[in-house]
Amino acid sequence: MTRRVGLIGKPLKRRHSQVMHDAAFDAAGIDARYVLLELEPEAVEDAVRQARGPDWLGLGVTAPYKRLVAGLCDEVEADAETIGAVNNVARTASGGLLGFNTDAPGFQAGVELAMGRPLAGATVVVAGAGGAAHAVVFACLRAGARQVTVGNRTLSSATALLERLVDVGTGSRSAVALADPAFETALRSADLAVNATTVGMVDPGATIPVDVLPPTATVFDLVYVPSETPLLKAARERGLRAANGSEMLIQQAAIAFERWTGVAGMADVMREAVAPLLADVAARA
């Protein structure tokens, strides 16, 4: 019996996850396939119900269904509850569904590789307060960041994010509007600046003025399509460490794969498999 993992979302414009996981299944000798399930909202509940069957290993979940699927699971892990989003579901041996989140550990693995140092003790500035930003800020605080500043167009959303994560970590934290001079002030002493918005992918421009960052700072853009956003281009021109979200994508996928199969260490296989897709994006950018 060929088993399956299904990615639920709408729209599903990219095959990156499918290519990575199918390569990992092949490398591990596991008879399974990763399938794309682009669904209307009314079809999600039935798809989740079907994933309780023995031919399923679990589900991946992307926008806009992370909260909806969380409510359909039998159990949601504490980290995912705190972040407020489930991006993967594992089927248990008894057919139960366990929701979890790999965005936070995937981000930590990817960003620490880009920084060349741990997040512990770092001063971090994050642009954005949506679902991706929740995972980013959670990861930074849990890893022991010394200071986290969240900037957002709407101050109330940044404030709400930090209120949700009030019990995570011991580092100091603050919320500011992107237009507030305090955002630029925070950037002047940042070890890490993160774009967790769609600016650079959906919207033009950049959220972070890289000219005010110290020369030792790292710039991390969660966007990986295009592979070089205006933000990353400006950061590299200044000689700063800079990376897009492709490594986060790979690391979180490897974590999920291990949860579904028990097989660890597939990041290198996934990185090699997805490289042509990422290179094609770069060539067309």
Side-chain angles (χ1 to χ4, degrees):
M1 177 177 61
T2 299
R3 304 185 74 185
R4 288 174 288 173
V5 173
L7 176 64
I8 293 177
K10 182 180 172 60
L12 297 179
K13 295 182 178 180
R14 304 188 191 112
R15 297 177 52 249
H16 296 67
S17 294
Q18 184 179 47
V19 167
M20 288 190 296
H21 284 95
D22 281 351
F25 285 133
D26 290 343
I30 296 172
D31 185 9
R33 278 293 172 262
Y34 193 93
V35 297
L36 303 182
L37 304 173
E38 185 171 299
L39 303 175
E40 298 298 332
E42 59 270 19
V44 172
E45 185 171 356
D46 185 59
V48 173
R49 179 189 58 77
Q50 290 184 40
R52 296 178 180 275
D55 55 330
W56 288 85
L57 293 169
L59 297 168
V61 189
T62 189
Y65 298 133
K66 292 183 179 183
R67 292 184 185 273
L68 174 59
V69 171
L72 299 173
C73 293
D74 301 299
E75 182 182 356
V76 174
E77 290 185 347
D79 287 0
E81 284 276 14
T82 301
I83 293 168
V86 160
N87 74 323
N88 287 289
V89 177
R91 180 189 180 275
T92 67
S94 61
L97 297 179
L98 172 65
F100 59 101
N101 187 293
T102 61
D103 284 335
F107 166 77
Q108 182 175 350
V111 83
E112 289 185 341
L113 185 65
M115 294 174 73
R117 57 157 287 183
L119 280 168
T123 298
V124 183
V125 178
V126 179
H134 279 68
V136 166
V137 175
F138 175 88
C140 291
L141 291 171
R142 186 177 61 175
R146 184 177 67 83
Q147 165 71 39
V148 177
T149 300
V150 179
N152 195 58
R153 290 175 181 170
T154 307
L155 175 59
S156 60
S157 296
T159 301
L161 186 161
L162 292 179
E163 288 175 349
R164 184 179 188 96
L165 304 180
V166 67
D167 294 325
V168 180
T170 58
S172 60
R173 58 208 74 184
S174 60
V176 299
L178 285 176
D180 190 322
F183 182 69
E184 188 170 301
T185 299
L187 287 169
R188 292 185 184 278
S189 58
D191 299 308
L192 171 66
V194 181
N195 175 43
T197 75
T198 57
V199 173
M201 176 177 66
V202 176
D203 305 309
T207 54
I208 297 166
V210 299
D211 56 305
V212 303
L213 288 166
T216 55
T218 298
V219 175
F220 194 88
D221 197 333
L222 267 60
V223 173
Y224 62 91
V225 177
S227 59
E228 183 171 78
T229 61
L231 172 61
L232 293 180
K233 184 175 187 294
R236 288 171 179 143
E237 287 175 349
R238 262 211 68 200
L240 302 176
R241 286 177 175 260
N244 66 17
S246 60
E247 190 62 27
M248 175 181 171
L249 173 77
I250 293 162
Q251 294 291 341
Q252 68 83 25
I255 293 166
F257 187 87
E258 182 177 0
R259 295 291 303 270
W260 292 320
T261 66
V263 178
M266 283 293 160
D268 288 345
V269 169
M270 291 180 166
R271 189 180 297 108
E272 181 178 358
V274 80
L277 285 181
L278 297 173
D280 181 57
V281 167
R284 291 185 283 109

